[in-house]
């Protein structure tokens, strides 16, 4: 059970978790953690709380967005949420959810998921004590700045959610966290899953040597450089970067095609290389970087990305693995995961459900989460354990951190 120091604060309201259809599985895992932790807490602590319903078998609030034959929809709640502290989970990238329109099966797009989120918020009708939206992949986050005559979709969506009564927005590894400037006086948390990545790669790889002579962290482009530097500093290794040369006279699939990847950094020959990025979309860019590293005689290439979308399927990764281009791909369960992924030898999943549950538990008690966002102590503890034992265990107690 996690640290309970936040229990000194009375909860904001009765906890409610609304997992939209796109986040059903993640919502169940988060709910399971919280219900178990609160059931195990001592009664003398819960006696201080000023309302009933603190300990429940489940905090999930039933909701749905049924559709008419025309494709139109409405948000519905199946129970009262008056005075509740609500947390809405939504995965705008879940393409596995479908609906029928004029008798034909239609795959839900990010726009559909975002519209359903607004429908559920509208169904709440201002009755909740507070609404927090947990949107791991920030809607339209790749359209975060304007080039010429373009829409600013992400900024507009953030403002729209705030206008609907959302008090806090929690996202993970935003493409550009500066988009929060669109809502400067509202809550916005951009959380990095670095600890979960390091924990997963250490647990699944028993023969890593964590020093600058045997390992290097690579940024696949200039935009991911801060992420790579943070990762490399924790591991105590050097960092390198590729930059993309694009053909700006052509647009393919909504973007300018990459002409070449140019490398800046030290020699990678004989080293294990970790490539970190925010997402794998088609995967072509990540695999191009991996090929360039292997061409430079890198030993093994590990591809880490918060969001594994795999929009072009898994075959290109199967082929790259067979050719020895990649050793392993690690993504999180923050977005929909194709079940076929788990049968691949090259794939590992980093589970964020426990971390989200801890965040919700703290926020419901109106407690500081700064100690949870800064995971440096936890990361260093795990690296020390790996260097001493050659592996890491599940029987682990996180070090105490100052949360203010």
């Amino acid at each position: 059970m996690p640290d309970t120091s936040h229990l000194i604060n009375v909860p904001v309201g009765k906890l409610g978790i609304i997992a939209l259809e796109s986040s059903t599985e993640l919502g169940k895992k988060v709910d399971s953690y919280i219900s178990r932790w609160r059931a195990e807490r001592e009664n003398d602590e819960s006696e201080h709380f000023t309302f009933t319903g603190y300990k429940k078998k489940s905090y999930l609030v039933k909701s749905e967005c049924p559709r008419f034959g025309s494709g139109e929809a409405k948000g519905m709640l199946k129970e009262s949420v008056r005075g509740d502290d609500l947390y809405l989970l939504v995965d705008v990238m879940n393409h596995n959810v479908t609906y029928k329109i004029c008798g034909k099966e239609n795959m839900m797009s990010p726009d559909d998921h975002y519209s359903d989120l607004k429908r559920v918020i509208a169904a709440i009708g201002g009755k909740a004590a507070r609404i927090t939206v947990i949107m791991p992949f920030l809607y339209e986050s790749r359209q975060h700045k304007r080039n010429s005559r373009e829409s600013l979709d992400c900024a507009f969506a953030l403002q729209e959610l705030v206008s609907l009564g959302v008090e806090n927005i929690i996202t993970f590894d935003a493409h550009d966290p500066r988009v929060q400037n669109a809502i400067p006086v509202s809550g916005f948390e951009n959380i990095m899953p670095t600890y979960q990545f390091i924990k997963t790669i250490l647990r699944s790889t028993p023969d890593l040597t964590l020093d600058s002579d045997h390992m290097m962290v690579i940024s696949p482009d200039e935009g991911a450089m801060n992420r790579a530097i943070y990762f490399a500093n924790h591991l105590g290794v050097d960092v390198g970067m590729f930059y993309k040369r694009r053909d700006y006279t052509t647009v393919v699939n909504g973007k300018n095609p990459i002409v070449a990847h140019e490398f800046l950094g030290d020699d990678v020959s004989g080293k294990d290389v970790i490539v970190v990025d925010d997402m794998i979309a088609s995967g072509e860019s990540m695999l191009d970087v991996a090929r360039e590293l292997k061409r430079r005689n890198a030993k093994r290439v590990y591809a880490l990305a918060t969001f594994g979308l795999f929009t072009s399927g898994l075959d290109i990764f199967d082929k790259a693995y067979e050719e020895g281009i990649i050793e392993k791909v690690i993504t999180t369960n923050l977005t929909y995961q194709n079940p076929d992924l788990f049968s691949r030898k090259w794939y590992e999943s980093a589970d964020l459900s426990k971390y989200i549950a801890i965040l919700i538990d703290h926020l419901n008690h109106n407690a500081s989460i700064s100690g949870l966002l800064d995971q440096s102590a936890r990361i260093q503890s795990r690296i020390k354990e790996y260097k001493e034992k050659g592996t890491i265990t599940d029987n682990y107690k996180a070090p105490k951190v100052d949360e203010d």
Side-chain angles (χ1 to χ4, degrees):
M1 190 167 64
D3 178 40
T4 58
S5 59
H6 59 286
L7 292 176
I8 59 174
N9 295 331
V10 173
V12 174
K14 191 165 60 177
L15 176 60
I17 300 172
I18 300 179
L20 275 74
E21 189 176 2
S22 58
S23 293
T24 302
E25 293 303 316
L26 182 61
K28 287 179 180 177
K29 288 184 177 181
V30 170
D31 178 57
S32 176
Y33 277 116
I34 297 176
S35 59
R36 188 173 76 246
W37 294 336
R38 293 194 172 186
E40 293 171 355
R41 286 175 185 161
E42 298 297 328
N43 290 331
D44 58 345
E45 292 174 334
S46 59
E47 286 175 1
H48 296 290
F49 306 144
T50 57
F51 53 81
T52 60
Y54 182 75
K55 295 184 178 183
K56 298 172 64 176
K57 291 183 178 180
S58 175
Y59 299 91
L60 291 173
V61 176
K62 294 179 181 178
S63 69
E64 62 180 37
C65 291
R67 290 183 180 267
F68 302 101
S70 61
E72 298 167 290
K74 60 181 177 181
M76 296 177 62
L77 297 179
K78 298 295 187 177
E79 54 191 280
S80 173
V81 294
R82 185 179 295 275
D84 288 4
D85 183 25
L86 294 179
Y87 296 81
L88 279 64
L89 285 166
V90 59
D91 174 14
V92 297
M93 286 296 167
N94 190 339
H95 60 270
N96 194 50
V97 182
T98 62
Y99 64 92
K100 285 190 175 182
I101 178 170
C102 297
K104 297 181 180 179
E105 201 74 19
N106 191 53
M107 186 182 296
M108 284 191 70
S109 69
D111 290 346
D112 290 322
H113 288 300
Y114 176 63
S115 293
D116 277 359
L117 171 66
K118 292 188 292 182
R119 291 181 177 110
V120 172
I121 295 172
I124 293 168
K127 302 300 190 297
R130 184 175 67 179
I131 298 175
T132 298
V133 168
I134 301 178
M135 185 187 293
F137 189 103
L138 188 61
Y139 174 69
E140 290 289 350
S141 56
R142 284 186 282 184
Q143 189 53 30
H144 61 287
K145 61 183 179 182
R146 174 173 284 153
N147 294 311
S148 186
R149 301 180 186 90
E150 294 181 350
S151 57
L152 291 172
D153 298 60
C154 189
F156 182 77
L158 292 176
Q159 292 179 349
E160 191 173 27
L161 290 176
V162 169
S163 71
L164 287 170
V166 174
E167 189 167 325
N168 298 299
I169 297 170
I170 297 175
T171 192
F172 285 79
D173 204 350
H175 193 69
D176 188 343
R178 290 175 297 181
V179 73
Q180 68 183 286
N181 292 337
I183 49 170
V185 294
S186 298
F188 184 96
E189 298 291 350
N190 178 47
I191 300 173
M192 303 300 293
T194 308
Y195 169 69
Q196 286 78 14
F197 274 142
I198 289 179
K199 184 173 69 171
T200 302
I201 195 171
L202 295 183
R203 178 179 292 148
S204 61
T205 312
D207 58 345
L208 292 172
T209 303
L210 306 181
D211 61 44
S212 57
D213 292 329
H214 299 87
M215 179 176 284
M216 198 167 177
V217 175
I218 300 295
S219 170
D221 55 42
E222 58 274 22
M225 196 60 183
N226 287 339
R227 185 185 298 105
I229 291 172
Y230 182 77
F231 213 99
N233 285 345
H234 274 296
L235 293 173
V237 301
D238 293 329
V239 66
M241 183 192 81
F242 282 88
Y243 68 90
K244 301 171 183 176
R245 284 200 292 116
R246 294 182 180 271
D247 179 3
Y248 287 100
T249 65
T250 308
V251 176
V252 178
N253 293 329
K255 58 185 178 181
N256 302 111
I258 298 169
V259 176
H261 289 87
E262 305 291 349
F263 182 66
L264 298 173
D266 291 336
D267 184 17
V268 299
S269 180
K271 296 180 180 179
D272 288 327
V273 178
I274 298 175
V275 184
V276 292
D277 207 354
D278 59 340
M279 75 179 75
I280 292 174
S282 67
E284 292 176 0
S285 179
M286 180 70 81
L287 292 178
D288 285 345
V289 167
R291 288 189 181 92
E292 288 294 323
L293 291 168
K294 294 297 287 188
R295 191 171 65 83
R296 290 171 170 79
N297 299 316
K299 182 181 177 183
R300 294 178 294 189
V301 178
Y302 297 88
L304 278 59
T306 305
F307 307 106
L309 308 182
F310 301 102
T311 57
S312 294
L314 306 180
D315 291 345
I316 59 173
F317 284 89
D318 291 337
K319 184 178 179 181
Y321 177 72
E322 292 169 1
E323 294 174 352
I325 302 300
I326 55 168
E327 180 71 17
K328 191 166 292 183
V329 177
I330 301 176
T331 66
T332 73
N333 64 335
L334 293 172
T335 52
Y336 170 73
Q337 294 170 296
N338 186 330
D340 291 340
L341 272 171
F342 298 99
S343 66
R344 271 29 183 208
K345 293 181 180 179
W346 48 263
Y347 182 73
E348 293 286 342
S349 176
D351 188 357
L352 271 292
S353 56
K354 184 176 181 181
Y355 190 30
I356 293 175
I358 294 173
L359 289 169
I360 291 176
D361 197 27
H362 273 66
L363 290 171
N364 180 234
H365 281 268
N366 225 16
S368 170
I369 60 171
S370 58
L372 300 176
L373 301 181
D374 181 5
Q375 303 185 58
S376 299
R378 295 175 176 85
I379 292 172
Q380 288 304 313
S381 178
R382 287 299 197 158
I383 291 174
K384 180 181 178 181
E385 180 185 3
Y386 185 84
K387 288 181 176 180
E388 291 175 352
K389 301 178 181 179
T391 187
I392 60 174
T393 62
D394 288 325
N395 186 19
Y396 168 76
K397 185 174 179 59
K400 289 273 188 178
V401 291
D402 183 6
E403 294 192 347
D404 286 305

